[in-house]
Amino acid sequence: MEEAGVPSEPSLVTCPVCLRELPAACINSHLDRCLQLQQQQQAEGGDDTITEGAAKSSCPDDTGEGPRQPYEKKMRLSKSPEASNKEEEPGSSLPPTAPVFSLFHKGRGSGAGKPGTPRAISLTRGKGEERQPDEESSGTDLHPSVPELSGESLAQKLEGKPLADKLRPNTLREYVGQNQVLGEQTLLRSLLDAHEIPSLILWGPPGCGKTTLAHIIAHSSKKNGTRFVTLSATSAKTNDVREVISQAQNEKRLFKRKTILFIDEIHRFNKSQQDTFLPHVECGTVTLIGATTENPSFQVNSALLSRCRVIVLEKLSVEAMEAILLRAVRSLGIRVLSPDEPLTGSVNGSNSKSSESGVCIERTAINTLAYLCDGDARTGLNGLQMAVQAKLTKLPHQSNTHGFSNGMVIKEDHVKEGLQRSHILYDRAGEEHYNCISALHKSMRGSDENASLYWLARMLEGGEDPLYVARRLVRFASEDIGLADPLALTQAVAAYQGCHFIGMPECEVLLAQCVLYFARAPKSIEVYSAYSNVKACLRNHQGPLPPVPLHLRNAPTRLMKDIGYGKGYKYNPMYKEPVEQEYLPGELKGIDFFKK
């Protein structure tokens, strides 16, 4: 390509706002216009932002083609009809939008890059206009919540990234579950719809949607020019955090652009690393979104917690898991067979491509998978992917069965085989550890034999140290049984010694015997309450503690006897009748610690 009047390559300067390459003589006036109009983006640039990597990769090809060529290359990335018309305007100098350096950036979703597909063209804060991009970017017109996976065959759709990552929702409308915090009338939903993102700590079990919610925020933030940066606390260092904060300060000072920083597994940062965020979250330099599976009360600094809102995400319900799995099945083009339906029948909700895949799945298999994954969407989708891939390897070798050409049916047994649970959901070092031991303690206190054995088995089968459980039983013997059955303490100590001698799995029955004994034993907290009253008396005492009475003091030397140590003490075994003698300090005379 040859263009007259194009400056030589060294004369080109890249605009820091829109990344366009312009002659050096024009950069100052162009930069002024970009900064002045940045808050009033043209409607044609609603969804044409590109990532930092994409922007940089376009520079070498654009170097020698004049100031308009980089702008045209960015337009070809999105293939938007509105953007194509914008290219032909000779006087246009305003970029579609400022680039967003998002580490969550993915390729254009299906349908977004097809010619003729309507695109969202408004970046204003109007509520009615905001929801239009969500509806348009959902994939297909018939099933907006069902994404279209790339690839013609079923095997091609399953290649590459895990299914859980491919089907990650991009909008809140596609998000399933967590209605208690993200429902239509909730405060957080209103803030997210208005693009007013507060600093958040997302706390929940694995696979409940923490990273997906952050991904939705990242997808939404690109539309209003907000930078979204993600770091993982498992690999990031303090210098990485400081570098991101430094960039955020420059973006805010020069371009008035906000920065959202997502920290995955934030509990892996130690206290000093978490302190790095404090002043910058306080002054609004960055909006912090942290995700953790551990209790923030124990793992996140209290000062950081006071600057963030903790959002508690629960395990996904069975109904939510079924909806997620059905969405995945439809995306893969797999037919769903009801229990009373023959293999040749049609199924509501299956698309036209279902007959091409040659694979069906029983509805009971989906229901079983929804139960087995224990509210973990990632586990459920990966289990579905494994079961489908296992059947695809056998597909060419199967003969015609039940009238369905090369048909394969994924049954309940196949799903169970693909989702073998090697362990129970239990974290020896996390909150579940304390939850289970608390449940065991309270079940024995309430004399519920069945619940006591259940929580004991849940801990031991989850990998808990049996000696830890035995130590807690020793404590329970005196705290909750006490003098109502003095043999309980003997039982607990014997169980601890037996666990120490033989270990797991043989010692599990020893602990079960002790737990059952305690659940059936009478309960008394007399000792525990009395000692608690004594401790309260000592804590609440004002002034110096009273001295030990002289007649109770030991007098091993003559000098001590001469000054009155032990004088007047009555040796009880020498008296046949009860001895009246005061054993408490004078100012505590008459106190009774056994009274409530």
Side-chain angles (χ1 to χ4, degrees), residues 306-588:
S306 67
R307 292 163 171 81
C308 303
R309 175 168 180 174
V310 178
I311 303 299
V312 181
L313 304 181
E314 304 291 344
K315 288 195 306 184
L316 295 176
S317 63
V318 176
E319 293 76 12
M321 284 304 311
E322 290 179 354
I324 293 173
L325 293 174
L326 287 174
R327 177 174 178 262
V329 167
R330 295 191 182 102
S331 300
L332 295 173
I334 300 176
R335 292 177 55 202
V336 181
L337 297 177
S338 58
D340 56 346
E341 181 183 2
L343 187 58
T344 55
S346 61
V347 181
N348 294 333
S350 61
N351 55 38
S352 60
K353 296 183 180 180
S354 61
S355 59
E356 300 176 4
S357 66
V359 178
C360 302
I361 185 171
E362 294 180 346
R363 181 58 188 250
T364 55
I366 295 179
N367 297 340
T368 300
L369 184 58
Y371 276 97
L372 288 180
C373 62
D374 195 24
D376 189 336
R378 186 181 293 107
T379 299
L381 291 173
N382 291 340
L384 175 64
Q385 180 178 3
M386 186 177 298
V388 173
Q389 288 176 332
K391 299 302 292 183
L392 285 178
T393 59
K394 303 177 182 179
L395 186 59
H397 308 289
Q398 298 296 325
S399 60
N400 188 358
T401 58
H402 300 283
F404 190 83
S405 178
N406 293 331
M408 293 292 295
V409 180
I410 301 175
K411 300 183 178 180
E412 184 177 3
D413 293 338
H414 302 145
V415 168
K416 291 180 178 179
E417 183 180 1
L419 193 68
Q420 291 181 352
R421 298 300 297 268
S422 59
H423 64 280
I424 297 176
L425 180 60
Y426 183 78
D427 186 2
R428 289 178 55 183
E431 187 192 16
E432 197 69 11
H433 164 85
Y434 300 102
N435 291 340
C436 286
I437 193 62
S438 176
L440 173 61
H441 198 128
K442 291 178 172 64
S443 299
M444 292 188 297
R445 181 185 296 157
S447 300
D448 191 325
E449 304 171 355
N450 297 292
S452 301
L453 289 177
Y454 170 80
W455 292 116
L456 173 66
R458 176 126 165 212
M459 296 180 70
L460 295 180
E461 295 302 316
E464 183 58 80
D465 182 9
L467 292 179
Y468 169 77
V469 180
R471 288 194 297 269
R472 298 302 305 169
L473 294 179
V474 174
R475 166 72 182 192
F476 182 90
S478 290
E479 178 180 341
D480 289 275
I481 298 178
L483 298 180
D485 186 355
L487 292 178
L489 184 58
T490 305
Q491 285 277 344
V493 174
Y496 178 84
Q497 292 176 340
C499 292
H500 183 70
F501 289 156
I502 62 177
M504 284 288 287
E506 289 81 2
C507 73
E508 60 187 13
V509 68
L510 278 69
L511 293 174
Q513 175 185 336
C514 186
V515 165
L516 190 58
Y517 183 94
F518 287 176
R520 294 177 176 178
K523 308 300 188 296
S524 172
I525 60 171
E526 182 182 18
V527 175
Y528 176 74
S529 299
Y531 189 73
S532 297
N533 292 336
V534 174
K535 292 194 297 182
C537 177
L538 292 174
R539 285 195 301 266
N540 298 331
H541 182 82
Q542 297 181 354
L545 293 174
V548 177
L550 289 176
H551 68 281
L552 297 179
R553 299 186 184 186
N554 187 27
T557 65
R558 190 176 190 86
L559 175 61
M560 291 180 177
K561 292 180 180 179
D562 291 341
I563 61 177
Y565 278 34
K567 184 178 182 180
Y569 172 68
K570 298 177 182 179
Y571 186 62
N572 296 69
M574 295 178 61
Y575 297 87
K576 295 180 179 180
E577 293 81 11
V579 176
E580 292 186 5
Q581 188 169 230
E582 187 62 42
Y583 297 97
L584 284 170
E587 56 188 87
L588 296 179

Side-chain angles (χ1 to χ4, degrees), residues 57-100:
S57 63
S58 65
C59 294
D61 298 332
D62 302 330
T63 304
E65 299 183 7
R68 292 186 58 200
Q69 193 65 18
Y71 178 70
E72 294 173 356
K73 186 162 187 176
K74 287 190 286 186
M75 290 299 100
R76 288 198 297 269
L77 286 174
S78 60
K79 301 181 181 179
S80 172
E82 293 84 357
S84 301
N85 296 335
K86 181 71 176 178
E87 287 180 352
E88 300 174 0
E89 298 179 10
S92 175
S93 62
L94 183 66
T97 185
V100 180

